[in-house]
Amino acid sequence: MSLWWVKKEQLDKTQISLIEKLPLGESFLVLGPPGSGKTNVLIRRAQFVRSQNMPNVMLLTFTRPLTEFVKTGCFDPQGREIFPRNCVQTLESWQRRLYVQHGADLPVTSADLSLTEKKRLLSLGALNFIKQKRLPRYDALFIDEAQDLLPEEVKLLEQWSPVLFFVGDDRQRIYESREGLEAVKKVIPTSNLRELKFHYRVAPEICRVADRILIPQGGISLESTSLYTGPKPATIMVHRKPLSKEQQLNLLIAKLKQQIRVYGDRIREGDRLGVIVARRNDRDLVFEALDDDEILNRKSKIMRAREEGDDDYDPSFEDEAAICILTIQGCKGVEFRAVHWLFADDLSYYHDPEHYYTVVTRAKTSLDISCTDDLPEILGRAHSETEVTPW
């Protein structure tokens, strides 16, 4: 699939070095901008370590859509499994499984607790399991999106393996805690910090939008480190006038019909189109609108975690459903040929610059943003049309 660099000749020298040349028994943190191949390096490093008589590994991510996205990289171009799909899990699922394996009840939480506090309680409750000496430690653990870890989660990971391999980017943080990378750096020797400086996914035009939202880690602009080779020119549409939800959905349908055709070859190779919203119930609204369209019917899917009593839902990516509908949190770590951010002003009071940066950099070639009310100030400053009405 085009989403993954599965051959050595598709990787640069730095990426190959991170996969094959690092000492097996040491822990590392790899930092890099969006599209720099961090997740590719992570899964290929995990695959390489397994081949070195260290089979007891696990690759952990944060969200269900990202987990399913990573699982698509577990196969070579011939469809053969090159890394066990079941060894890719969300961090939360892995922790919950520890509770089951040690015969312990999950922590009791209340509705008024934030997601961060619930995550913290889950990790704190699991910190004593290692003392039971019931399960062997892992040969190595591989962790994506390290910027969103809590110190308690890092401590738990450190208990369960002597070898930790983290990848991350502080500019793509979507949870409220800002402690992630600092907590990781406390368990990684300074000499074992690595950096991927170039990226290959995001078109320069979209990089400029992201650069006006946040300065990338290291202070070098995303545009100046772009080695993008995809379709040109990239397209950006930021609708500055408020549009009703119905109007936005109609525009979305018209645009998706074009993109299904224009990017058809790339979609057949594994590319996807993303529709991003802030609220979970808006995912359903989008899905129903697309499914009611004669051309787009059965071509979209809501990407989310399974919910209670939801055993029939399959969270995996499907070849027939090229259009993925996600929340802002759900889009973390995933990439799309085109991104449509609908109702972008919704819940804007909860969104930090990192949220805007993360959504914008999910797009490879096309970015479309629309609102039901005023365009958020941070997006208004990030992009202007080429032709501005004279005054």
Side-chain angles (χ1 to χ4, degrees), residues 22 38 59 67 89 102 113 159 185 199 207 224 228 233 238 241 246 253 266 268 283 327 374 380 390:
L22 298 179
K38 295 186 299 296
L59 194 157
T67 298
Q89 297 182 12
H102 290 86
L113 283 179
Q159 285 184 347
K185 288 176 181 177
H199 66 93
C207 290
S224 67
Y228 171 82
V238 179
K241 293 183 179 180
E246 183 179 2
I253 289 170
R266 292 179 180 271
R268 282 186 285 276
R283 295 180 308 196
T327 61
D374 292 335

Side-chain angles (χ1 to χ4, degrees), residues 75-95:
F75 300 89
D76 67 11
Q78 287 72 46
R80 296 171 298 194
E81 189 175 72
I82 54 179
F83 185 82
R85 293 177 75 252
N86 289 334
C87 290
V88 181
Q89 297 182 12
T90 64
L91 181 62
E92 180 179 345
S93 295
W94 174 71
Q95 290 180 86

Side-chain angles (χ1 to χ4, degrees), residues 125-179:
L127 285 176
N128 288 323
F129 293 157
I130 194 71
K131 296 178 182 178
Q132 296 184 24
K133 297 183 178 180
R134 178 179 175 82
L135 299 173
R137 297 175 81 197
Y138 293 91
D139 293 328
L141 289 173
F142 299 84
I143 305 95
D144 205 357
E145 306 291 338
Q147 69 274 4
D148 280 315
L149 288 165
L150 297 174
E152 293 81 3
E153 292 171 331
V154 175
K155 185 176 180 180
L156 181 65
L157 292 165
E158 191 181 17
Q159 285 184 347
W160 279 97
S161 180
V163 178
L164 303 173
F165 194 94
F166 300 93
V167 300
D169 175 14
D170 203 33
R171 301 304 186 264
Q172 297 182 64
R173 179 189 56 80
I174 63 167
Y175 294 110
E176 60 192 41
S177 172
R178 295 180 179 270
E179 307 165 286

Side-chain angles (χ1 to χ4, degrees), residues 66-132:
L66 179 53
T67 298
E68 297 304 323
F69 175 71
V70 172
K71 285 181 178 180
T72 66
C74 291
F75 300 89
D76 67 11
Q78 287 72 46
R80 296 171 298 194
E81 189 175 72
I82 54 179
F83 185 82
R85 293 177 75 252
N86 289 334
C87 290
V88 181
Q89 297 182 12
T90 64
L91 181 62
E92 180 179 345
S93 295
W94 174 71
Q95 290 180 86
R96 286 175 173 269
R97 197 156 147 264
L98 286 178
Y99 278 83
V100 173
Q101 291 168 330
H102 290 86
D105 294 329
L106 291 168
V108 177
T109 60
S110 58
D112 59 337
L113 283 179
S114 68
L115 178 59
T116 297
E117 289 309 310
K118 290 178 181 178
K119 288 173 57 186
R120 199 183 307 276
L121 284 175
L122 187 66
S123 296
L124 283 171
L127 285 176
N128 288 323
F129 293 157
I130 194 71
K131 296 178 182 178
Q132 296 184 24

